[in-house]
Amino acid sequence: SSHFWLKTNPVPEFHRAAKRAMWARSSTQVIRPLIGAAGLVPVLHFNNKRGVVFNDGPQKQEEVMMFHIGTNNWQRQGEFAPGSGILHASFHQTFNSMPGVKCYSIYPSKMQTDPVPEPDYDPTFKIFKLNHDIPICESVSPNSSYRWHTMSNTEFAAYRKRLEDEVCVFMDEIEKREGKQFDYIISHHAFTNAMTGAQILERRQKEGNKKLRHFNFVHGTALKMYIKEKEGDPEYPMRFLTVSKEHGVFNGRDKCSGIWVNSRDYIDKFMDCFPTYPRSHAVYSQIGVNQKTFCPKDVTIETDLAKHLRDEDKSKLGGVKRVVTFVGKFADWKRLDAVLYAAAEYEKRHPDVATLIVGSGPQAAIEEYEGLAKKLGLKK
């Protein structure tokens, strides 16, 4: 390789709460830190009475209780987590650190076990236990090779029904303990969890919880799956976009009160897939980072960065004073190729700048990007 590649794939840490937060309320809940949770918080506002509660003045705040349905595992008990799992864990911990908010979650895992109750702590999350890898929307993933598209219709329906039932049982337990009903369901990814969230909404509203509302955080991979189905990609035969439309979760706001995305162009892509959903309730949410973690520290490139580099790359540190860093999975939509092409330009004018790549992916992708770095003649 002719540029830096890290031996490990670390994740960012915890983030400050947003100044104008979603669903603000007060709580004395004991918080337990989440191992590997990245701190990422959305700033999201719907100008709608039944959407987000604004917290701008001294008015009395009511308590809020929300439930998140995650798509991927969190990083705990030795299991590596993909970005969406880390983001979900961050939301969970951040909301629970906010006054007046209690957040509960469920996420899938084949490896992990439920947290253990303690005298001063009732667990706030639960594992949706699998006997197979976590299903994925993309064709390849470092975490799983079990694609939704390989499931039969019967298996897909059974997965959704079991998830719906387990979430409802967990919500029943929490509501009995808390003495109040949930205010919000948040589903992660605009696919299985969104349809499940809509089913839970309908079910619990029929049981009497008329205030309950469902929101969806779109993420990226499910949306890309829909787009590839529309484009006729042979690896993505038209199936799940049709299923989602026939279900109706995004046909209007009856089953999903609002969606948010973390990339501005996702709104247009989402609207292309679900044109009847009101654009006014599709929101771009900028994700922040913890500036106490991502800030200058008492370290140097020469003495500290070398500890994390592969042996064959350590000799390239000479004369390096600044570093451009990419962190992410080796997948075409992460645009690592764009970083490498840019490096070929700035290396010519800025010989003290190096390019640091943090991440991994399928062997074919590793060979592709390392080959591109060599082809471009990158030196640092």
Side-chain angles (χ1 to χ4, degrees):
S1 171
S2 50
H3 53 295
F4 298 146
W5 301 82
L6 282 195
K7 294 184 290 187
T8 58
N9 188 16
V11 295
E13 297 298 329
F14 191 69
H15 169 55
R16 58 182 171 83
K19 289 183 179 178
R20 300 183 64 183
M22 294 168 66
W23 313 301
R25 296 188 180 176
S26 3
S27 163
T28 57
Q29 181 175 343
V30 176
I31 306 301
R32 291 289 183 270
L34 304 174
I35 298 174
L40 307 161
V41 179
V43 181
L44 172 62
H45 305 289
F46 289 116
N47 295 318
N48 178 277
K49 292 181 180 178
R50 295 199 290 189
V52 174
V53 177
F54 287 88
N55 183 22
D56 292 330
Q59 68 269 22
K60 186 178 184 299
Q61 299 173 4
E62 297 180 0
E63 291 189 351
V64 167
M65 202 158 70
M66 65 175 71
F67 194 99
H68 286 237
I69 307 174
T71 302
N72 281 302
N73 62 282
W74 296 356
Q75 190 150 300
R76 59 185 286 269
Q77 295 184 340
E79 185 176 17
F80 174 79
S84 59
I86 290 169
L87 187 55
H88 174 198
S90 303
F91 277 24
H92 181 94
Q93 183 152 331
T94 299
F95 283 129
N96 275 323
S97 72
M98 292 167 58
V101 179
K102 289 187 177 181
C103 179
Y104 295 86
S105 291
I106 193 169
Y107 64 84
S109 176
K110 183 171 69 173
M111 296 174 52
Q112 296 185 30
T113 57
D114 289 338
V116 179
E118 299 176 19
D120 65 340
Y121 171 67
D122 290 317
T124 58
F125 64 95
K126 187 177 179 68
I127 308 303
F128 182 60
K129 196 67 178 175
L130 302 178
N131 60 8
H132 52 72
D133 287 345
I134 295 172
I136 58 173
C137 296
E138 59 264 57
S139 57
V140 291
S141 168
N143 299 75
S144 172
S145 59
Y146 185 49
R147 297 183 63 206
W148 290 107
H149 276 85
T150 65
M151 279 190 182
S152 68
N153 290 337
T154 300
E155 289 170 331
F156 181 63
Y159 185 103
R160 281 175 48 197
K161 180 58 177 170
R162 184 167 75 89
L163 178 58
E164 175 189 333
D165 290 343
E166 290 196 21
V167 169
C168 284
V169 168
F170 191 26
M171 291 178 78
D172 288 340
E173 294 172 0
I174 296 163
E175 289 181 341
K176 182 178 180 180
R177 185 170 70 237
E178 295 286 350
K180 70 185 299 293
Q181 294 178 317
F182 277 94
D183 299 279
Y184 303 104
I185 301 170
I186 313 299
S187 58
H188 289 249
H189 285 83
F191 179 40
T192 307
N193 286 357
M195 290 186 280
T196 301
Q199 294 301 119
I200 295 169
L201 174 72
E202 181 180 10
R203 179 168 163 174
R204 299 187 85 80
Q205 284 184 338
K206 285 180 179 178
E207 293 171 351
N209 187 355
K210 303 298 183 183
K211 68 176 181 177
L212 187 63
R213 293 294 179 268
H214 170 220
F215 291 83
N216 179 259
F217 180 28
V218 172
H219 290 266
T221 52
L223 191 56
K224 292 180 177 70
M225 178 184 72
Y226 293 145
I227 292 169
K228 287 181 178 292
E229 286 189 352
K230 285 182 64 178
E231 292 173 345
D233 190 312
E235 290 191 22
Y236 298 83
M238 178 58 72
R239 180 182 177 188
F240 291 121
L241 179 58
T242 301
V243 169
S244 299
K245 286 183 173 181
E246 289 177 350
H247 178 276
V249 58
F250 298 124
N251 290 358
R253 293 186 58 236
D254 290 342
K255 298 183 179 182
C256 184
S257 295
I259 67 104
W260 76 91
V261 301
N262 61 0
S263 180
R264 196 183 300 276
D265 66 325
Y266 283 2
I267 291 181
D268 287 337
K269 292 176 179 177
F270 178 87
M271 296 306 301
D272 285 342
C273 294
F274 302 101
T276 62
Y277 196 81
R279 180 180 281 269
S280 59
H281 284 72
V283 176
Y284 168 51
S285 172
Q286 299 184 61
I287 305 298
V289 297
N290 186 354
Q291 293 180 335
K292 292 181 180 179
T293 298
F294 295 96
C295 63
K297 297 182 179 180
D298 188 22
V299 295
T300 65
I301 292 174
E302 281 112 340
T303 60
D304 296 280
L305 184 56
K307 293 184 252 181
H308 303 283
L309 296 179
R310 301 185 307 191
D311 289 340
E312 61 265 34
D313 290 327
K314 292 179 180 179
S315 62
K316 302 169 188 172
L317 278 173
V320 174
K321 297 180 180 178
R322 296 176 291 170
V323 177
V324 173
T325 306
F326 168 92
V327 182
K329 181 168 64 176
F330 291 6
D332 57 356
W333 61 85
K334 300 295 185 180
R335 297 310 311 275
L336 175 54
D337 58 333
V339 176
L340 299 179
Y341 279 112
E345 297 301 317
Y346 58 68
E347 274 197 3
K348 298 173 186 175
R349 288 170 284 182
H350 305 284
D352 64 331
V353 177
T355 307
L356 178 66
I357 309 300
V358 186
S360 188
Q363 186 59 36
I366 294 173
E367 293 173 0
E368 175 187 352
Y369 292 115
E370 290 196 342
L372 177 59
K374 291 177 181 177
K375 179 182 177 181
L376 294 171
L378 301 185
K379 297 179 176 59
K380 298 186 177 183

